[in-house]
Each structure stands twice: as C-alpha cells, then as structure tokens.
Amino acid sequence: MAETAAKRLKTSPVSIGTHNGHFHADEALAVYMLRLLPTYNSSQLIRTRDPALLQTCHTVVDVGGEYDASTNRYDHHQRTFDTTFPNRPTKLSSAGLVYMHFGKAIIAQHLGVSEDAEEVTVIWAKIYESFIEALDAHDNGISAYDPKAIAAAGLEKRFSDGGFSLGAMVSRLNPNWNDPVSSDPSEAQKDEDEKFLVASARMGEEFSRDLDYYTKSWLPARGIVHKAYAKRLEYDPTGRVLVFDGQSVPWKDHLYTLEDQEGGEAKVLYVLYPEKPSPDSKWRIQCVPESKDSFQSRKPLPEAWRGFRDEKLDEISGISGGVFVHAAGFIGGNKTFEGAKAMAVKALDL
C-alpha cells in the first residue's frame, strides 16, 4: 500500500500542506512521518486553510475536507469519513491515514528490507495498535471505555489524567492566548509554524522511540518467547510456568498473542528469568498480569510470602535461597534457578 503511494509522488520540490492555527498531535505526527521518507525529507511545509494554497501542495493532511490517496489528500473531518485501520475499530485521524498508507515504507526503510517482508506487516499492525490508534481516538473524541457503561457502573475518576498524554503535551506547545503576536501577518505565521515544528519533532521523537523498540527489541524477542512457550510443559504439566534460559526479553505481548492463538483455558501464571545473562545470576519469578496494561496478576505470589526477604522468606516459604517477594505479590527472587522454580511450583498450589 505504501509502496503504491510512494510511486505516485511527483518530482521535487514537494510541499506538505496542513492547517494553520491551533495544532494537534495528529497532524504534527503526520508531517513528521512523511518527512522520514526520502521524497518528503526536504519538503516545504505550508500551514494554511486557504483552498487555493492547499491546491498547490503535493500532499495535504488534516485539512481540505478530502480523503483521496490517489491525489495525496488525507483529511478525516468530512461527515462521510469512517475509514479505519485494517481489523481495528477506531476511526482514523490524519496521523492514522498517513501511517496506514506510508507506515510500511517507513518500517521497511528502518529495517532495510522490502515492504512485503513478513516482519514489516507484523510491526506495522503492532505500532498502530500500541501507539497510533490511541492518538486517532483522542483526536476523534473516542473514549477508551464506553461512557454509558462507565456511568451505569457508577465509576468515578480518582484524579485527573488529562494533562498526562501526548495530546496534552502538544496542546501546551501552542501559543497562549495572551502571548505577544507580531503585527506582521507573515511574521506571526512564521512564529506559529516554529512552534508547530517543535510539536512535530516531539511527537516524532516518541514515534521513533516506538519504532526503534519494536524493530530492535520487540521483534528479536518474538522468537525467544516462542521457543520458551514451546518448552513450558517441561516445568509444569499444564504449562503454567514459562522459563527464559539465557536472559529476560519483552515477553508480555508475545505471550498473550500465543495464548490467544492456541486457545484453551490453561494460561501461563509465572515467568522465570535470570537477572543477568551469567551462570551465577540470581533469578526472578514474575506473575503474569491479567492483561497487558493490568496491575492485577493472574495468580499473585502467596500472601504469606509478601514483603519478606532472605532468611525470613526461606523460613516462611520453606524454600532456601529466597531473596525477596514484593509486598504486592507480583514479583519475587531467589538465588538460584532451582529455588525460583520451587517457588513457582509451590505457589501454583497455594
């Protein structure tokens, strides 16, 4: 999809158009992502709502009332717009549109592979779900939870988290209502554009960190988790204990995906891994959360062990080599693998 879009690009100079005035996270990121690609790398940015000026732009995002990839128009504000990312329910913003059409090209360029490589498609979907989709929802006013269901359940927020998001960060980068404004319209627009570019760079930093993580850390971990998952029955007859022999890797996403693919009721409850990749390393036992973003464990470590360390923990648990068990019961440690495994086996039945 992105390759087709790239083939439509005209020769230089290329200009990207978006709206002026108050800027948001979606067009800030959309512009940044486009400029990662060679054709857009030195592109001119034109921020305006003037249809005549937008008409001169090669690519237009978040303004213009038109979504047409064949002419590089990526707005989402029109009443008839209802486009979503493949297999996802959330209506796209300009960031989601640009990512849907150009994301594979960006990822392939980062990995140094072709756009039709399997790993490109895997990461393309993963970054959308983990990063872009929330931005799309924020810009379109879509809540993570059904507001009616929340109200019906009588749930109230314990504190305000509205300022603790990338959208809020971008909002704070906009000019304040009482900031001095140049009497020269061109200078005033230039000042505003400079603030937009700061926002675009900040959003881009976060996107690039995510891209780095999923290509350089998350993807290599995938094979390691698959191997550990295949061996889990060696440690528990029903596969409730997962062991990483060499070192820990980011495992949660991959584990949940594997469990969903396999189905069945038996789930991994504890993950064991060395603190560092050396023969004399201490070992950790970590409880698997109920879901990726949950603070609740599927089966916390026994309440009687929680908050104790060293010899006292050995005495209470009946297992030698204990290092600690967190007061919340989601993680613990032992001096040896055998000790950590014994903790897991015993905790399964308590």
Side-chain angles (χ1 to χ4, degrees), residues 66-84:
E66 181 182 7
Y67 166 44
D68 185 349
S70 68
T71 57
N72 297 305
R73 265 48 188 169
Y74 302 101
D75 193 16
H76 67 109
H77 293 100
Q78 49 273 33
R79 287 174 61 88
T80 56
F81 183 89
D82 60 359
T83 304
T84 63

Side-chain angles (χ1 to χ4, degrees), residues 13-21 23 27-28 31 34-35 40 42-64 73 189-190 192-194 196-197 200:
V14 168
S15 58
I16 302 173
T18 190
H19 63 82
N20 58 355
F23 48 80
E27 77 267 19
V31 169
L34 286 172
R35 285 179 157 178
Y40 290 104
S42 300
S43 59
Q44 178 187 11
L45 178 64
I46 299 175
R47 297 183 66 246
T48 181
R49 293 186 183 275
D50 183 342
L53 280 177
L54 291 172
Q55 186 64 32
T56 68
C57 296
H58 175 277
T59 300
V60 177
V61 299
D62 208 44
V63 69
R73 265 48 188 169
Q189 187 60 59
K190 180 182 177 182
E192 184 184 281
D193 290 351
E194 288 176 354
F196 173 84
L197 291 175
S200 185

Side-chain angles (χ1 to χ4, degrees), residues 270 285 299-302 305 319 342-350:
Y270 301 123
I285 173 173
K299 185 174 177 60
L301 292 171
W305 300 358
I319 301 167
M343 291 175 72
V345 170
K346 192 163 189 177
L348 287 172
D349 296 325
L350 292 178

Side-chain angles (χ1 to χ4, degrees), residues 278-295:
S278 62
D280 61 343
S281 174
K282 296 176 182 178
W283 279 72
R284 293 288 179 93
I285 173 173
Q286 185 172 347
C287 305
V288 178
E290 292 181 351
S291 63
K292 177 187 172 184
D293 299 318
S294 174
F295 291 111

